[in-house]
Amino acid sequence: MGFSFRDKMAPSTPLLTVRGSEGLYMVNGPPHFTESTVLPRESGKNCKVYTFSKDGTLFAWNNGEKVNIINVTNKGLLHSFDLPKAVCLEFSPNNTVLAAWQPYTDTIANKLHLQKVNDFNLSPGSQPYKVAVYVPGSKGAPSFVRLYQYPNFSGPHAALANKSFFKADKVTMLWNKKATAVLVIASTEVDKTGASYYGEQTLHYIATNGESAVVQLPKNGPIYDVVWNSSSTEFCAVYGFMPAKATVFNLKCDPVFDFGTGPRNAAYYSPHGHILVLAGFGNLRGQMEVWDVKNYKLISKPVASDSTYFAWCPDGEHILTATCAPRLRVNNGFKIWHYTGSVLHKYDVPSNGELWQVSWQPFLDGVFPAKTIKYQAVPSEVPSEEPKVTTAYRPPALRNKPVTNSKLHEDEPPQNMKPHPGSDKPLSKTALKNQRKHEAKKAAKQSAPRNTITQSASGDPEVDKKIKNLKKKLKAIEQLKEQAAAGKQLEKNQLEKIQKETALLQELEDLELGV
């Protein structure tokens, strides 16, 4: 469905849209938090879906009878469509088309011919569009991810980059905002070593310029979350057995800052990329750590218990946390925080009601400029809730004796991983591996290979062919030995090839001598 409407004006304060058993309505953003008159409250439980346009000027929803579109700026109804069964709505980037999901057919504009494609991910942003494609391995062959630029899908050199790897039953592909690189989380469903319930996971980096690397994570265990900074120059990974580690990496996959260990399983960069929130939701108690990532300084440590949803406000100053059904059907509601740890607004759904969805009104980049980071908690009229302190169970025989402090795990403190000029600080694990690899290649070039034999023709085409094949195998063995010297862990079949080197050298010598 199409319509003609463009309006660059939008409210200066983001609205909050709430959908639940009390209906669909909007709330004015900070500092007022009153119900907005932009959208008259839709009572009842029939609203299944809503969406904003990319710039936040248009709002569409399905009330179970019609799909309606309003102008958020002047509060006017623009269009109404008889589409009661629409379950997904999406505005076009120019606000001229609203797509409603229904079974339909479309014309194929271009096709990527690649066998056994299991998953793909389209890059964000404007043209030229790029796509990451995943093909799982089979019969001993590795899995791989390839990057293409639309519409260049055919030809031997069409792929922008390729990264192959073993141990992957499924992958998660994450583009950065500028569409210059992809992070790939490769996962296996079963950990054959039995060390983890989650299976095994590895993190890979692939850039559109052809560069690729394995991101070395210092702590073993599952990868809970990986998120790009909006600058597209660094990313944060949360990983390892609890208490989990969190580390910021640069585009060379070298660690920049290690946040130590803590009860966390998620990471969220602010829209401007200057603040990072590390949080522990789900089966954790909701502890949040708010960090200034320019100076790597802790700002606050609020607690949002039982939260199932987290979102940054487009202004980069406020945070939304919510407890929604069906994940949790009790204590539903939402809170709006300032990043300094103050709760500015709180709403609890009545005990017989449910909250299904809540989200911020989106805005285009640049509408809200980044502000100077504050470290002092801003004032709030909402009374602070003191977290309940629970004491550990003590057997009756120990209750009258002094308490001894003991921990199952020693917490690791935060650590700046950036090498300072002129300092003797040891290199990171990834940097050390790259240095060893570079030194091994340099040493291989300087030393003459022991299996190098001057090129000579025996006069017999069959013998020459065998000699050529043997030299090819020996060269491959030398390359495997270089990789092993650089610290790479070789596969079983690669180690077996190295063991055959002596026999191949003897066979080559016999052929050269005409034995």
Side-chain angles (χ1 to χ4, degrees):
M1 63 195 74
F3 51 91
S4 178
F5 179 81
R6 295 293 301 276
D7 192 341
K8 295 296 183 180
M9 299 297 294
S12 58
T13 302
L15 297 169
L16 198 67
T17 306
V18 182
R19 184 176 69 89
S21 57
E22 295 180 300
L24 176 71
Y25 60 97
M26 289 185 179
V27 176
N28 292 312
H32 305 294
F33 307 112
T34 55
E35 185 166 341
S36 174
T37 58
V38 170
L39 174 69
R41 182 186 285 252
E42 286 269 8
S43 301
K45 303 179 180 181
N46 294 326
C47 179
K48 303 297 183 184
V49 61
Y50 70 80
T51 187
F52 277 101
S53 61
K54 296 289 188 268
D55 60 0
T57 58
L58 302 180
F59 180 78
W61 76 99
N62 181 2
N63 60 10
E65 299 177 358
K66 294 180 180 293
V67 171
N68 301 310
I69 304 171
I70 63 170
N71 177 356
V72 177
T73 306
N74 59 29
K75 309 176 185 179
L77 180 65
L78 296 178
H79 295 280
S80 184
F81 302 97
D82 188 15
L83 296 170
K85 296 182 180 180
V87 294
C88 185
L89 302 172
E90 184 76 17
F91 282 101
S92 66
N94 292 333
N95 295 355
T96 56
V97 175
L98 175 69
W101 186 86
Q102 293 186 116
Y104 68 97
T105 60
D106 201 355
T107 303
I108 298 175
N110 210 310
K111 184 181 290 187
L112 172 61
H113 296 277
L114 195 64
Q115 292 184 350
K116 300 180 181 179
V117 173
N118 184 271
D119 196 7
F120 70 93
N121 197 318
L122 190 65
S123 67
S126 57
Q127 298 182 8
Y129 302 114
K130 302 178 184 70
V131 61
V133 180
Y134 165 63
V135 176
S138 60
K139 298 181 180 179
S143 307
F144 63 85
V145 170
R146 286 181 185 167
L147 308 185
Y148 293 90
Q149 181 170 299
Y150 177 84
N152 302 323
F153 292 150
S154 60
H157 304 293
L160 300 174
N162 181 84
K163 175 67 175 175
S164 58
F165 41 83
F166 291 93
K167 296 183 179 180
D169 294 327
K170 62 179 181 179
V171 300
T172 302
M173 296 176 283
L174 306 167
W175 282 97
N176 62 11
K177 190 174 181 179
K178 295 181 180 179
T180 57
V182 178
L183 291 170
V184 179
I185 305 174
S187 308
T188 58
E189 295 179 355
V190 178
D191 184 355
K192 294 182 180 179
T193 64
S196 174
Y197 171 80
Y198 300 94
E200 292 183 85
Q201 292 176 306
T202 52
L203 182 61
H204 305 268
Y205 167 86
I206 313 172
T208 54
N209 62 4
E211 295 180 357
S212 63
V214 179
V215 182
Q216 301 293 334
L217 302 178
K219 187 173 184 179
N220 294 329
I223 300 174
Y224 304 104
D225 197 12
V226 179
V227 59
W228 281 100
N229 192 317
S230 59
S231 66
S232 298
T233 58
E234 62 183 25
F235 58 92
C236 179
V238 183
Y239 58 92
F241 297 112
M242 288 293 169
K245 286 180 75 71
T247 307
V248 173
F249 296 87
N250 59 21
L251 294 184
K252 294 182 180 179
C253 298
D254 292 329
V256 176
F257 190 86
D258 190 329
F259 296 95
T261 57
R264 54 174 81 108
N265 55 15
Y268 308 91
Y269 276 106
S270 66
H272 303 98
H274 63 324
I275 299 176
L276 174 66
V277 175
L278 301 175
F281 295 139
N283 58 346
L284 300 177
R285 68 187 189 96
Q287 176 72 59
M288 296 189 291
E289 303 170 43
V290 185
W291 287 83
D292 171 1
V293 292
K294 183 178 180 181
N295 301 306
Y296 288 108
K297 184 177 179 181
L298 184 64
I299 301 172
S300 63
K301 291 185 70 173
V303 178
S305 302
D306 301 327
S307 295
T308 62
Y309 179 76
F310 177 103
W312 273 100
C313 179
D315 64 9
E317 287 196 273
H318 300 91
I319 292 169
L320 167 68
T321 62
T323 304
C324 301
R327 178 69 182 271
L328 286 177
R329 296 190 182 276
V330 294
N331 299 328
N332 282 190
F334 64 87
K335 293 179 182 178
I336 297 176
W337 308 70
H338 191 269
Y339 65 79
T340 54
S342 303
V343 179
L344 303 181
H345 180 69
K346 178 183 177 183
Y347 176 73
D348 294 323
V349 175
S351 58
N352 59 345
E354 293 180 350
L355 177 65
W356 301 327
Q357 187 180 4
V358 58
S359 60
W360 292 106
Q361 175 191 10
F363 280 77
L364 296 176
D365 293 340
V367 174
F368 296 98
K371 297 182 179 180
T372 304
I373 293 178
K374 302 176 182 177
Y375 296 94
Q376 188 69 30
V378 300
S380 172
E381 296 180 359
V382 179
S384 60
E385 297 179 0
E386 294 295 331
K388 296 179 181 179
V389 179
T390 57
T391 57
Y393 171 78
R394 302 194 73 202
L398 298 177
R399 289 175 185 173
N400 296 325
K401 295 183 178 181
V403 178
T404 57
N405 293 325
S406 60
K407 292 183 178 180
L408 293 175
H409 306 279
E410 288 296 329
D411 292 335
E412 297 181 22
Q415 182 182 5
N416 194 336
M417 307 295 286
K418 281 185 179 180
H420 299 287
S423 67
D424 296 328
K425 188 174 180 179
L427 296 173
S428 67
K429 186 176 179 181
T430 306
L432 192 61
K433 181 180 178 182
N434 292 335
Q435 184 180 1
R436 287 200 305 263
K437 188 175 181 181
H438 178 72
E439 290 174 353
K441 285 184 177 180
K442 187 176 180 181
K445 289 181 180 179
Q446 292 176 351
S447 62
R450 61 173 182 164
N451 61 350
T452 301
I453 300 178
T454 56
Q455 184 73 24
S456 63
S458 64
D460 187 342
E462 290 296 326
V463 174
D464 289 341
K465 186 176 180 180
K466 289 181 180 180
I467 292 174
K468 184 178 179 181
N469 288 336
L470 286 172
K471 289 182 177 180
K472 186 177 179 181
K473 292 179 180 179
L474 289 168
K475 184 178 179 181
I477 290 174
E478 281 296 328
Q479 292 175 347
L480 290 175
K481 290 166 71 176
E482 289 177 13
Q483 294 175 8
K488 181 178 180 181
Q489 186 175 357
L490 301 181
E491 301 290 334
K492 183 179 179 181
N493 61 332
Q494 293 174 322
L495 294 173
E496 291 174 351
K497 286 182 181 179
I498 295 177
Q499 294 173 358
K500 296 177 182 178
E501 182 183 23
T502 305
L504 293 175
L505 284 170
Q506 185 62 47
E507 185 179 353
L508 178 61
E509 185 178 354
D510 292 342
L511 288 173
E512 290 285 349
L513 296 175
V515 178

